[in-house]
Amino acid sequence: MIWSRIGAEEDAYYLLDAEGCEAVCGGSSATARDVARLGEVIRRGGAIGDRQIVPEAVAPTIVPGVPDGYPRRVRLPAAPTDAPATLSYHDFWWIPNDPYGSFMASGIHGQRLFISPALGLVIVHYASQIASPSVPQVPLVQAFLKIGTQLCG
């Protein structure tokens, strides 16, 4: 229902589990441009221009932030044990706790959808995930924020 309404250019694909429900931990595939369109709809509270694509009552629940009682700071699973815990995680979204209200979906194989409402920024990043502990993690969240703050002047 949403995919055609956001102006997606290609069909998206996703895996279903044995009961016919969408797999939430992986198995989706779409072009970067179409994922960016989805990110922009989410950033704009479910709207494209003056058309509300996602019902107004539903849109704020997609990324509600971290509710009270949940850990406010977590460490990425591949981070060294002495690395500072800088992110939050809730409802499949990583939240960098920055002043811009940013959040990010991060796929198991290196794909990311970064959304920063206050910076007016949506970044889609497709890459390969390096799983070797000998290779340092690339600070992508910091890079995405740097791009956004530079674009905003």
Side-chain angles (χ1 to χ4, degrees), residues 31-118:
T31 67
R33 288 172 57 106
D34 288 342
V35 172
R37 285 180 176 89
L38 177 63
E40 182 65 4
V41 169
I42 293 169
R43 184 187 74 80
R44 295 180 42 90
I48 295 178
D50 59 354
R51 283 185 352 170
Q52 191 69 33
I53 303 299
V54 178
E56 288 185 64
V58 174
T61 67
I62 294 172
V63 185
V66 183
D68 290 336
Y70 281 77
R72 298 274 177 196
R73 303 272 187 226
V74 296
R75 186 179 296 104
L76 285 170
T81 56
D82 61 344
T86 57
L87 299 168
S88 296
Y89 182 80
H90 182 64
D91 286 347
F92 304 104
W93 295 100
W94 291 99
I95 304 164
N97 301 306
D98 61 28
Y100 311 107
S102 305
F103 49 94
M104 177 177 70
S106 182
I108 190 170
H109 297 294
Q111 62 279 24
R112 290 167 184 81
L113 171 59
F114 182 84
I115 302 169
S116 187

